[in-house]
Amino acid sequence: MAAGAPRVFVSHLSGVPVFDPNGDQVGRVRDLVAMLRVGGRPPRLLGLVVEVLSRRRIFLPMTRVTGIESGQVITTGVVNMRRFEQRPTERLVLGEFLDRRVRLVETGEEVTILDVSVSQLPARRDWEIDKYFVRKGKGGALRRKGETLTVEWSAVSGFSLEEDGQGAESLVATFEQLRPTDVANALHHLSPKRRAEVAAALDDDRLADVLEELPEDDQVEIIGKLQEERAADVLEAMDPDDAADLLSELPEADKERLLTLMRPDDAADVRRLMSYEERTAGGLMTTEPIILRPDATVADALARVRQADLSPALAAQVYVCRSPDETPTGKYLGTVHFQRLLRDPPYALVSSIVDSDLVPLAPDTPLPDVTSYLAAYNLVSVPVVDESGSLLGAVTVDDVLDHLLPEDWRETDFHGEGEIARGR
């Protein structure tokens, strides 16, 4: 950014694409790295944390940044691909500065940092934090009613020590447009303290989606720091198979206590899934596929498929069963794939176009056979039926991939390849 250009507020940099001089995208900005200094000098901005296409996070020094403009960052084109590792003297601006409570030097009044601006020093590539956008008051539910103002960096104090009870409202706001897997990635790289604060600020449905994308250790850590009633609410909002996987990692007493706090119907689904061996169709399946009765129409099926909270794999087909139409259902009659729904008139009954040729899987079918079945018939989901012919659930291709990949694949993706700390 040229000297004299407007300051940049860091919340506007979250998720911004990073390009090399040829216009090829390197990755996206996920945070900024700053260093506090002594002697009355403003914090120095060391660089950016950039998530490259492989989801690895790397460090991009500010000396390699040639421009920040029009919602993009331009680099010199020379990028060190070693994974980012935060040093003890460094602070993550988005992760640690936003929502921090500090005091105005002049009045001693407590304020909350909502945003931070950075600027480039004249005729140099050094960058510094120059201003804070703050809200007066002590935070909490009434915080939005406080006066907001922009102050110089020197007008506040309180960055030297880690703060207890730091909020996360402003940081969560930077996550609003991110997919759950990207929010999970961001949480994974925060400190345990900050991770718990952000998790507490997310609503139940959003936190449930994010937990499903986190490594097991992070899942257990976060759910263990929630109040038990809220932990049960979040587990109810998760897909039953993911909730079952998470609960299976908890001590038996904690697991039973949370299951008791869950709604009986949700707890019953989870208990049923936990009764199957992990690497079988029963252990892999979800209990909430799209189920329709034989007298439902194509229009009814398409309306169910259009539901926004369905994964693409679950929305690819509907399962036709006799009443009851919740798992375990009445007799399973067959499957209608999405493409067939598009080819038939809206008034047609699903029972007239059902595909009953493919034999469904039994719940004890081992993982290798499930994988072969999906591959052989080019399917993204397969029904699981018990001995009486009732539909128990469906195994989706993403559930199979989760178990085919190495157990630490989420950790590997989050951290990237290699174990060598970056150079500066």
Side-chain angles (χ1 to χ4, degrees), residues 115-383:
D115 211 340
V116 177
S117 75
V118 296
S119 62
Q120 187 178 18
L121 299 180
R124 298 172 59 187
R125 288 190 178 179
D126 284 347
W127 293 67
E128 293 179 339
I129 290 176
D130 64 347
K131 294 181 184 294
Y132 301 115
F133 180 60
V134 302
R135 175 178 285 120
K136 292 185 177 181
K138 293 185 177 181
L142 301 179
R143 184 168 73 180
R144 291 188 178 277
K145 297 184 179 180
E147 176 190 355
T148 58
L149 63 157
T150 301
V151 298
E152 299 290 335
W153 67 270
S154 56
V156 302
S157 63
F159 280 103
S160 57
L161 298 175
E162 186 177 74
E163 179 185 356
D164 293 330
Q166 182 178 352
E169 187 176 278
S170 299
L171 179 56
V172 168
T174 69
F175 294 158
E176 287 183 357
Q177 303 304 316
L178 297 182
R179 294 175 181 269
T181 186
D182 295 323
V183 179
N185 197 357
L187 256 64
H188 180 77
H189 288 86
L190 296 177
S191 66
K193 165 188 171 293
R194 195 67 174 126
R195 189 157 49 236
E197 291 164 348
V198 173
L202 294 170
D203 64 52
D204 291 349
D205 289 337
R206 182 67 158 164
L207 180 55
D209 291 340
V210 171
L211 280 176
E212 292 172 1
E213 304 298 332
L214 279 167
E216 289 179 352
D217 289 347
D218 289 344
Q219 291 182 3
V220 171
E221 173 197 301
I222 289 173
I223 208 75
K225 291 182 178 179
L226 298 177
Q227 292 184 349
E228 288 187 343
E229 291 77 7
R230 193 190 175 206
D233 291 341
V234 172
L235 287 165
E236 290 170 356
M238 295 176 68
D239 289 338
D241 52 328
D242 290 307
D245 289 342
L246 172 52
L247 283 168
S248 67
E249 298 297 320
L250 300 179
E252 191 66 28
D254 295 341
K255 176 172 60 181
E256 285 301 320
R257 192 159 51 247
L258 289 173
L259 283 167
T260 302
L261 290 172
M262 293 173 65
R263 289 191 296 262
D265 289 347
D266 293 316
D269 284 342
V270 173
R271 288 183 186 277
R272 180 153 51 90
L273 289 170
M274 294 173 64
S275 69
Y276 297 110
E277 293 292 331
E278 181 180 1
R279 298 175 70 84
T280 64
L284 295 170
M285 69 182 179
T286 177
T287 58
E288 297 179 345
I290 302 177
I291 300 170
L292 294 173
R293 297 180 184 179
D295 58 353
T297 65
V298 168
D300 296 329
L302 289 174
R304 294 285 301 277
V305 166
R306 281 196 293 267
Q307 292 178 2
D309 58 346
L310 286 173
S311 70
L314 283 179
Q317 62 282 301
V318 300
Y319 299 102
V320 182
C321 305
R322 299 197 184 280
S323 180
D325 51 5
E326 293 184 357
T327 57
T329 67
K331 182 176 177 57
Y332 166 73
L333 301 178
T335 302
V336 182
H337 298 281
F338 176 63
Q339 285 183 320
R340 182 63 190 267
L341 293 173
L342 295 177
R343 293 197 297 264
D344 283 82
Y347 55 80
L349 298 181
V350 292
S351 57
S352 68
I353 58 174
V354 70
D355 180 358
S356 57
D357 291 339
L358 292 179
V359 178
L361 298 179
D364 58 355
T365 305
L367 175 59
D369 292 348
V370 177
T371 305
S372 299
Y373 190 100
L374 289 168
Y377 295 108
N378 297 316
L379 299 174
V380 294
S381 180
V382 57

Side-chain angles (χ1 to χ4, degrees), residues 394-423:
V395 179
T396 59
V397 67
D398 53 315
D399 291 324
V400 171
L401 285 174
D402 281 347
H403 288 76
L404 289 180
L405 291 167
E407 290 186 3
D408 63 344
W409 74 268
R410 293 187 187 277
E411 293 279 356
T412 303
D413 266 354
F414 283 126
H415 289 297
E417 300 173 0
E419 295 296 333
I420 304 174
R422 72 182 183 278

Side-chain angles (χ1 to χ4, degrees), residues 68-94:
I68 300 178
E69 52 191 20
S70 302
Q72 61 184 9
V73 174
I74 308 299
T75 76
T76 60
V78 180
V79 178
N80 188 333
M81 296 301 290
R82 292 173 181 170
R83 67 181 175 92
F84 169 71
E85 291 182 354
Q86 185 179 357
R87 294 173 177 175
T89 57
E90 297 172 344
R91 298 292 182 269
L92 297 177
V93 179
L94 289 173

Side-chain angles (χ1 to χ4, degrees), residues 12-74:
H12 298 163
L13 291 178
S14 177
V16 165
V18 179
F19 296 95
D20 65 19
N22 297 322
D24 295 325
Q25 184 171 338
V26 175
R28 290 186 178 273
V29 176
R30 293 306 183 202
D31 215 317
L32 298 88
V33 183
M35 181 178 67
L36 303 180
R37 296 191 287 184
V38 297
R41 293 181 295 168
R44 180 188 173 198
L45 191 63
L46 302 176
L48 308 175
V49 178
V50 176
E51 183 180 295
V52 296
L53 299 182
S54 64
R55 294 179 65 194
R56 184 189 319 170
R57 290 192 170 200
I58 66 171
F59 177 74
L60 178 65
M62 293 308 296
T63 54
R64 302 281 174 81
V65 174
T66 59
I68 300 178
E69 52 191 20
S70 302
Q72 61 184 9
V73 174
I74 308 299

